[in-house]
Amino acid sequence: MFDPNRVIFFDTTLRDGEQAAGVNLNAAEKLQIAKQLAKLKIEVIEAGFPAASPGDFNCVKTIAREVRGVTVAGLARTKEGDIRAAAQALTEAEHARIHTFIATSPLHMTHKLKMTPEQVVSEARSAVKLARSFVDEVEFSAEDASRSDIDFLIRIFKEAAAAGATILNIPDTVGYAIPDQFAQLVQAIITGVAAPAGVIFSCHTHDDLGLAVANSLAAVRAGVRQVEGTINGMGERGGNAALEEVVMSLKTRADIFGLTTGLETTRLYPVSRLVARLSGVAVPPNKAVVGANAFAHEAGIHQHGVLANRETYEIMRAEDVGSVPAVMVLGKHSGRHAFRDRLETLGYQLDDDQVTRAFETFKRLCDDKKDVTDGDIEAIISDQVLAITPEHSFELKAYAVGVGAGLATATVVILRDGEEMRDAGTGNGPVDAAYNAIKRAINFYPTLENFSIRATSPRSDALGETVVELQFGGVSAQGRGAETDIVKASITAYINAVNRLYTQAAARDIKLLAEPLNANRC
Ligand code: MN
């Protein structure tokens, strides 16, 4: 039942968040995140845009089937085909929602849609009607609302509600709004639309001016009861509203808002880590709520205060957001049970097969290093367990590098369908040389868009974790590698990225050049 004092959350990490430049999550990764969002007790998960591609369709379908206890939403333009695709992808959901949208600002109507306001209203009306013929819950968004005419917004929201929309969303699509002005807009809409009881108003804000969270909170005070956002604020351009910040503001300042939420906030930190790792978008240390330093006190006077009474400098506790360091480090003598336990705490939900594979890798890693940290475990999981290996994928068999002053050489042997491909390359360092050797061996030359390497813990026996982004013919893909040997980690990441590039391209029906040659051209 609708409780007027409760704010519900709509997470769009998997849709709007994934539109962030350079982010490409595969189906297994999206499913992991969705399961974690369910544990966080998010009310609505926007799982994707089913009409966008067969890959998107299947992701939404899988999440709808496998994730329980939440509403799963699929995005759709007002086009009939989009609505039907969303409805079809959502058939197995416990609770399904179709989220349809059309732009309402003069700028978008004239230049993007090339439609008159009349046409836009009629599109919205028929889309909502059609969506309601499939599901009970339909959300309508007026894209670019913050730059739209108020009277027009009121009119189109009235029409959408009359056609059966149950959630009316007010997006600040381009991050243009300012809190008090946005609150006025929201209030004018809520008053003007005078929607029937049970219709929920919602906001969706972007962080182009760093105001996404402030605007969401202003909208809540003005009466919206659904907030849309993403974990870590991940999203296009400056990103979306960071859900963890919105919920902790509502909670910490309940004296101001007087509202409740249903979120299990102790799951915020694990889900934040999971999203950061799987997306490759790191969380800055000073990030509110989930940053590594969010609860660190450095200044002596602060430390003194906190020791005397935590509340002197802490407005919320690390435990409230689940940001608690591991009490126990795993090692050689840790059993499968302790390992599985730790995975759960870190936010992973794996099936038995996956746990078995991860545990084997963990045991191998214990031979290389004494203590295995959380960072190491997360790296193992995301590289070896969640990675979907496409058919005909490339695999590293052997490599050798030689490094001198200003010059390096590398030889690689790569397997594909049992066939060996080997070649050598030179470069200004071992990684450069190895990448040149790989490209020659598989006769495929993508562009390296991004390369990063970090240690999984602040120790010299840590794993080196490499993230590589490759681009070819308009398709881009990320690969990760984690090894105690950083050259091997870099090679693994590159080959994973090539494999993913092939999967992405196949999903979009793009042919990636000729098949690599089976070359023994050493
Ligand atoms: Mn958006």
Side-chain angles (χ1 to χ4, degrees), residues 16 204 206 240:
D16 217 351
H204 174 110
H206 276 270
N240 288 63

Side-chain angles (χ1 to χ4, degrees), residues 12 15-16 19 171-173 204-206 228 236-237 240:
T12 184
R15 201 276 301 168
D16 217 351
Q19 285 173 217
D172 179 25
T173 307
H204 174 110
T205 58
H206 276 270
E228 302 194 359
E236 272 187 294
R237 309 183 312 275
N240 288 63

Side-chain angles (χ1 to χ4, degrees), residues 193-408:
V193 174
V199 169
I200 299 177
F201 283 90
S202 162
C203 67
H204 174 110
T205 58
H206 276 270
D207 211 31
D208 296 71
L209 295 172
L211 294 170
V213 170
N215 282 329
S216 284
L217 294 172
V220 167
R221 293 203 81 189
V224 310
R225 288 296 177 263
Q226 173 181 279
V227 174
E228 302 194 359
T230 62
I231 300 299
N232 299 337
M234 186 168 85
E236 272 187 294
R237 309 183 312 275
N240 288 63
L243 284 188
E244 65 278 6
E245 295 179 21
V246 176
V247 66
M248 288 317 288
S249 296
L250 293 177
K251 215 178 150 166
T252 307
R253 296 311 306 272
D255 58 325
I256 301 270
F257 294 99
L259 298 167
T260 61
T261 80
L263 295 201
E264 182 56 66
T265 61
T266 57
R267 304 302 307 175
L268 286 171
Y269 187 71
V271 75
S272 160
R273 298 255 307 199
L274 184 70
V275 168
R277 176 162 303 270
L278 297 185
S279 66
V281 181
V283 174
N286 62 329
K287 164 82 173 61
V289 181
V290 290
N293 294 345
F295 297 94
H297 301 283
E298 191 73 31
I301 191 162
H302 288 202
Q303 287 176 345
H304 178 77
V306 168
L307 286 174
N309 179 341
R310 290 176 67 165
E311 286 179 19
T312 48
Y313 289 97
E314 283 188 3
I315 58 164
M316 49 189 166
R317 297 175 309 162
E319 302 91 283
D320 295 341
V321 303
S323 169
V324 209
V327 272
M328 174 173 71
V329 183
L330 296 181
K332 220 185 179 84
H333 303 292
S334 308
R336 189 187 155 97
H337 189 76
F339 179 71
R340 185 172 206 145
D341 235 42
R342 197 69 211 149
L343 291 182
E344 289 270 315
T345 313
L346 291 173
Y348 293 89
Q349 275 186 313
L350 305 181
D351 60 37
D352 283 340
D353 266 10
Q354 288 172 319
V355 174
T356 304
R357 261 185 293 158
F359 189 61
E360 279 166 16
T361 314
F362 163 74
K363 280 291 178 188
R364 268 200 306 278
L365 187 59
C366 290
D367 293 335
D368 287 344
K369 56 200 303 264
K370 199 170 142 283
D371 299 328
V372 177
T373 64
D374 285 353
D376 296 337
I377 294 175
E378 290 177 317
I380 295 175
I381 301 302
S382 36
D383 301 335
Q384 300 181 21
V385 178
L386 294 180
I388 287 185
T389 331
E391 265 187 275
H392 311 302
S393 61
F394 300 101
E395 205 183 311
L396 177 69
K397 187 182 177 199
Y399 73 98
V401 290
V403 189
L407 179 69

